[in-house]
Amino acid sequence: MKELLRRYGLTLTISFIVIVAFWLLVLVILPYIYLFEASFRLYLPIDQVNGPNDVYTLSNYSTFFVTPIHRWVFLLTIVYSSAVAAISFVVAYPLAYYLSKVATNKIVPTLFLIIMIPLWVSEILRSFAWFIILSLKGPLNFALVGLGIIEEPIRWISGFQSVIIGLVYTYVLFMLFPLYNAIQSLDTNQIEAAGDLGAPWWKIHWRVILPHAKPGIASGSVMVFMLSAGSILVPSLLGSTNSRWFTEIIQQWMFESQDWNTGSAYAFLLLLLCTGFVSLVMRLFRVSLSDIAR
Amino acid sequence: MISKTSRIILNVYVAAFLIYLLAPLIIMGGAAFNDSRFPSVYPWVGWTDRWFLDLFRDTRMWNAFKNTILVALAVVAISVPIGTAAAILVNSLQGRVRTVLYGMMVAPILTPGAVIGISTLLFWHHFSVPSGLHLSTLGQCSYISAFVMLLVLARLQSFDRGLEEAALDLGASYSQVLRRILLPHLYPAIGAGAAIAFFQSIENFNTTLFTRGPYDTLTVYVFSRVRSGITPTINALALIMIAVTLLAAISYEIYRRRHEKVLLARGRGNPDSD
Amino acid sequence: MSATVELDRVSADFGSFRAVDKVSVTIGAGEFFSFLGPSGCGKTTILRMVSGFIAPSEGHIRIGGEDMDGIRPNKRPTVLIFQNLALFPLMPVWENVSFSLEMRGVDKAARRARAEELLKIVDLPGAGNKMISQLSGGQKQRVAIARALAVEPKVMLLDEPLSALDLKLRQHMRAELRAIQKRTNVTFIYITHDQGEALAMSDRVAVMSQGRLQQVAKPEDIYNNPSNGFVASFVGENNVFDGRIIASQTTTARFETDLGVFEAAFNTPPSSDQKLRLYVRPEYARLVSTAPEASNAIAVTISDISFEGNFINIHATTDQGRVLTVETRNDGSSDIPETGSRRYFTFDAQRARILADETQAAHS
């Protein structure tokens, strides 16, 4: 504070503080508080708002706990989002290793440019692309039938498989970049020294590279899990009736039932889930918030 | 250090990964030219431009397009100053205050977009502000500002604070120090922040969905078109969006590389000896 | 264009740590004045207080007789040259030099012209359009000085600006700085831990230790008449002997050590709790073959001779095993003993000093 005043004087310091306070209070903290408050109130007809029935209650949350299907969907969302994070890690790790330790310096910027392309294309178009590929009359089935690998077209968009395929495709880059950054910072001499000391390749990865990549794994897992659990587009485009996602239930409350109070209770549960996941990963990997959000 | 076989395996893997990343986009783009009711490249029915013509005749699309650009510009205008001020503020703090403030600033990045959307909606509803694109803008700013903050903060780490003191000592006022010394150093990060804010805003769906009220943005438009029976017009739109963003990304990259070369050449410039 | 700088019982505290302790000194207008001391002695803090980046916890700073209390750095008639120079990397040389004029709203043509004038003063004509990254170390120094001169300061504060240069260039820049100071007649306050720099450039030197002034004097007095043990040992080399005074006259005293009793100059009135030491500079000591009649002789064996170019360092070991150093000029006139030969280590009483131990001899 004193430091700021000394560097930027009173007027500028106050302007900085006012701008940041507007952001954190008006755009972040107060909306969260209102969400939290609304989740304890009942959805009432307009003439009863602020009336005797407008009391604080836990009933929105008990709705969640007494509706088995909601609890089940919540659980499945956790399980499958974790699975997406795990699959993304498996898929991205060899590439991150390649980019940081194998590829020559000349080719890396170009490779990155290519890899970044899907990131510039919006999430909805990326899921739409897989919607086309996986649909019953889509190119994948045509190709497989044409090649004689399968006889009948397969209904790909069914259950959670297509949702997972879509989520991995959409979010794998959020795993790749933190992993790349983490492995990049490892001194190549350490890898060579381990090899020199007789470690087989898998042991080098297990004992040297993976431990060093911990902050990257943590960061990537948090991002992929959070984005997957909070995804609306992928489950609605690539899901089917037997693969419901927790965000779809929130949408139902908000749009179909118009019950914003129960909707906010469910949204708060989602927020709690993500916060819980972040702190779990931070504890598990012993990393700080500044390692994760970069 | 790495054996020939494993290098080959890795190369094959990388190639497969690149195909995996790009093939869906190519298939989607290609389908825009296929004269088939269902968007697909296989089987190829015939070459057509009618999906583009259909798209250009769609007034709802044009409206959504206009809204998207407006929101994106507003998001840039709001989140860039916020993110920059926040980075300068955090950078001048130490210890516990810094940790807490930093945590609050990055929290929106780790919050699902739906939660941001719903909380923004509820907050402003409390003050009888109806939903609409203004709320979408504010909702998006709440987390996009954090991206800008992180970019500017990273750039601030390389700033020599002695320069501010030197400028003050040479008679500059505080605002002159900011304008002439600090901001010029931050411009690359601020520019990158503005670009990221713009594209993040265009892409945004989750936050917008809950706050938009009756208005469409491009992502919402595409979403509703996909749900209400798809035609390759969406592919036409997708192809255009991909082409535009790619052009922007590539020209930025070319500019960046050229700029880097100029800086490098300047840095190497022959310092004559005394 | 110069002003006096007066420090009146100035102190600086950082938490419970006292970095500067009641420093009082008056620096004359147009003087080249150096603060000399090891790192952490408080000299940089003094500089930052004079320039206005830190406020003193106690005391007053007056520049040209005017109290600087509460006046911001940009309103003081001082300008600071930073240790790393703090040149603005994104501006060409001429914008750097004329930065202070730009801040005052001077128009561009006038700024360019003034920048060119100033660059001539520092011997860099025509360098205005270069970028900072294109300059060599010495050129950067000159740009920093030109930028500081543009302010038309009454006092220029320099924070070890030569420390990043290599030895040759550093010696060259010493003469250059001195010349610029004489030409512009601005009061220079120079901070350094390098005694050579301080002695070579300054009109007067203040030696500091642990936040306190130890001695303020002309360079030759600092060297020849150090006021206490700290000054003696920080500036130049010494043979040091522990001991106690057994008899004293007005300007000399007899000093008993475990190597014998010596006579040496002594002017500080002895106080019972002060630890005293005898200091003999290597260049004031001699090696002779026969024991001199007077006292001040120690029998030694020559143990090592190291040739340094313009002078020769001879190490001699006493019978008790102490190693003493004698420095001889390499001018062919002195006889250089062989290693292993026996000699007597001797010195004039007037050239050796009995001084109080540094830690208790603080300036009050």
Side-chain angles (χ1 to χ4, degrees), chain B residues 11 45 74 92 147 150 157 170 175 177 201 215 224 229 238 247 272:
Chain B
N11 277 324
V45 179
S92 309
F147 286 131
L150 289 174
Q157 312 285 313
L170 291 169
S175 64
V177 172
S201 169
Y215 304 97
S224 58
L247 273 179
D272 353 3

Side-chain angles (χ1 to χ4, degrees), chain B residues 165 168-169 172 180 274, chain C residues 48 74 80 95 102-103 142:
Chain B
E165 289 188 348
L168 279 178
D169 190 51
R180 203 69 176 82
D274 272 63
Chain C
R48 294 177 73 79
N74 50 358
L80 178 59
E95 281 188 35
E102 182 188 337
M103 296 301 105
R142 293 159 200 261

Side-chain angles (χ1 to χ4, degrees), chain A residues 124-190:
Chain A
I124 184 155
L125 295 178
R126 281 181 279 164
S127 358
F128 177 58
W130 279 96
F131 178 79
I132 296 170
I133 295 171
L134 295 178
S135 55
L136 197 61
K137 286 187 256 172
L140 185 61
N141 273 331
F142 260 103
L144 290 177
V145 171
L147 290 168
I149 295 170
I150 53 170
E151 284 172 15
E152 282 294 302
I154 296 176
R155 188 171 287 281
W156 295 103
I157 302 185
S158 150
F160 283 98
Q161 56 188 14
S162 46
V163 177
I164 290 179
I165 292 173
L167 287 173
V168 170
Y169 179 74
T170 315
Y171 299 129
V172 68
L173 294 180
F174 291 92
M175 180 65 87
L176 177 69
F177 292 129
L179 268 184
Y180 167 78
N181 283 332
I183 301 177
Q184 170 82 342
S185 69
L186 174 68
D187 185 357
T188 308
N189 288 340
Q190 287 192 25

